[in-house]
Amino acid sequence: MRRLPRLFLVLLLAVSGCQGFRGCGSSEPAPVAAAAAPDASTPGVAPPPPEARYARSWLVILHSSPTPGQGAEALEALKKSGLPAEPARLSSTAFRNLRPCLEVVVAKAFADKAAAEGFRQRLAEAGVEGYVKNAGPLDSERERKEATCRAEAEAAVARVGARKPEVEPRFVEVHAGRTFMLLGEDAGNEGLEPVDEGRRLWRAPAEKDPTGRFTVGDVVDLYGANGLVQSGCEVAGFAWLNRGVPHFSYAQQEPLPTEPGCGRAWAFAELDCAMTPSDLVFALPAGTKAPVFYALGDAPSDEVRAAQERALRSSPRFATLRSEGSIRAEEVQEKLAEDVKTARYSSGEHD
């Protein structure tokens, strides 16, 4: 890990009900009948977008992905179920209540939640997994969000091309007494099974690393804030994990929920090293040059802090996070809280 001449960390906390997990600590909005679309034949009236007929509807969603055209297996399973469906592919960015930058595969839309849940249950009985979500109204900032989605996708491609995956640090987590290394690819929640009694952790096995970077038997070393923690940890397998803290009423439902209450599944590699849940560590491939650790130092100057905050607020990622935070704040009827903090770290003569 090369040393940078100057390093400032800027942390954005956009807090509304909970942090870090889409849908955590919230309750569903009250069902609202689908809005009628304006007559496209009226002179001077622009035709509504195709998503207009789904606004404020309760959607039974089979699949979601940032890559359009996926979910063919879910649609095939829906067809084989024989149930009266109205499948459609929709842009989540068009709706205020859905996470932007995704294409969602919808089995059918309903005006009320009870009907949607009933249909989802019939799908489940037929072996087709899905979940119910209220789309909310059409988003008036759709064009801006779509531009942000495109910018983020382009930036992600550029980052993948520029970085060296084989030496990237990867966070390590402990769940249900087992040690997992985050691989960084997210997916839907299909095939997950609850692991703990509170249904905060859901797991599904994966045959191989979805990122294609690790195989069973690969060796990594674990580092903490004070340096090397363990060496020679082997990759024992792979899994999809969804971990989060849903709304307190989630686990009180009858019957018990059949899908996670919030968040989405991420790819992990399971390691054969034993760790404790309180350990804050990351992994590097065995043999990688040991990283340089920077200690927390004095706070940066007001001038530097202001410059870093301006750069943060002008980034596409900030716009996306703030938009998602605003959605969550509205759903739980709270005021969106923003807090920007800065810190300065140093190692020897380097900051």
Side-chain angles (χ1 to χ4, degrees):
M1 182 178 293
R2 64 187 182 89
R3 297 184 179 182
L4 299 176
R6 183 168 295 274
L7 175 65
F8 294 101
L9 298 184
V10 183
L11 174 64
L12 165 69
L13 300 177
V15 183
S16 176
C18 73
Q19 300 177 14
F21 294 94
R22 174 76 173 152
C24 300
S26 67
S27 56
E28 294 286 1
V32 182
D39 186 354
S41 63
T42 304
V45 176
E51 294 87 0
R53 64 184 294 259
Y54 297 93
R56 303 182 185 278
S57 296
W58 290 91
L59 307 179
V60 180
I61 300 176
L62 303 179
H63 181 83
S64 63
S65 171
T67 304
Q70 295 188 352
E73 293 182 359
L75 287 172
E76 182 63 24
L78 175 66
K79 182 178 180 180
K80 290 181 179 180
S81 73
L83 294 174
E86 299 174 3
R89 294 182 180 273
L90 304 176
S91 170
S92 65
T93 314
F95 306 98
R96 287 179 57 184
N97 283 9
L98 301 185
R99 178 190 170 209
C101 307
L102 299 175
E103 181 186 74
V104 293
V105 178
V106 175
K108 199 171 184 179
F110 296 85
D112 64 88
K113 184 178 181 180
E117 286 288 0
F119 186 74
R120 185 202 62 77
Q121 181 61 37
R122 293 175 64 191
L123 285 176
E125 293 171 354
V128 182
E129 295 299 323
Y131 62 95
V132 173
K133 182 72 176 178
N134 186 272
L138 293 179
D139 199 323
S140 61
E141 297 186 355
R142 176 178 180 176
E143 292 186 5
R144 180 186 64 78
K145 287 186 176 181
E146 287 180 339
T148 299
C149 292
R150 290 192 295 270
E152 286 193 341
E154 293 171 358
V157 171
R159 288 194 298 270
V160 170
R163 64 195 183 190
K164 297 179 179 180
E166 66 275 10
V167 295
E168 280 186 350
R170 298 180 180 278
F171 288 110
V172 173
E173 304 176 7
V174 177
H175 298 289
R178 300 160 72 174
T179 305
F180 295 90
M181 177 178 66
L182 179 63
L183 298 176
E185 294 291 318
D186 64 287
N189 289 323
E190 299 177 5
L192 294 177
E193 296 291 338
V195 174
D196 61 332
E197 184 176 349
R199 300 194 172 220
R200 297 183 176 187
L201 177 67
W202 295 68
R203 180 184 182 276
E207 294 183 1
K208 59 182 180 179
D209 177 4
T211 69
R213 297 171 182 172
F214 292 89
T215 59
V216 173
D218 286 348
V219 182
V220 298
D221 297 331
L222 305 185
Y223 293 86
N226 297 317
L228 182 66
V229 175
Q230 286 194 51
S231 61
C233 299
E234 289 192 7
V235 174
F238 303 95
W240 295 98
L241 297 181
N242 182 320
R243 64 269 195 257
V245 182
H247 191 270
F248 72 90
S249 63
Y250 167 78
Q252 300 175 1
Q253 300 179 35
E254 292 291 345
L256 289 174
T258 57
E259 61 182 36
C262 62
R264 57 190 186 277
W266 290 77
F268 283 81
E270 184 169 359
L271 305 178
D272 65 357
C273 289
M275 304 293 295
T276 61
S278 60
D279 291 331
L280 299 177
V281 300
F282 62 90
L284 285 172
T288 302
K289 184 178 179 180
V292 176
F293 289 87
Y294 285 72
L296 181 64
D298 297 333
S301 66
D302 292 342
E303 180 181 359
V304 171
R305 182 167 57 250
Q308 293 294 313
E309 182 173 344
R310 286 194 299 270
L312 173 69
R313 292 184 179 277
S314 63
S315 66
R317 181 57 176 162
F318 174 84
T320 299
L321 289 174
R322 195 183 192 289
S323 176
E324 292 186 359
S326 297
I327 292 173
R328 301 306 312 150
E330 182 175 339
E331 289 180 354
V332 299
Q333 298 182 350
E334 293 183 3
K335 183 179 180 181
L336 178 66
E338 293 184 22
D339 187 15
V340 177
K341 297 181 179 180
T342 58
R344 180 177 182 177
Y345 291 82
S346 62
S347 178
E349 299 178 353
H350 300 274
D351 291 338

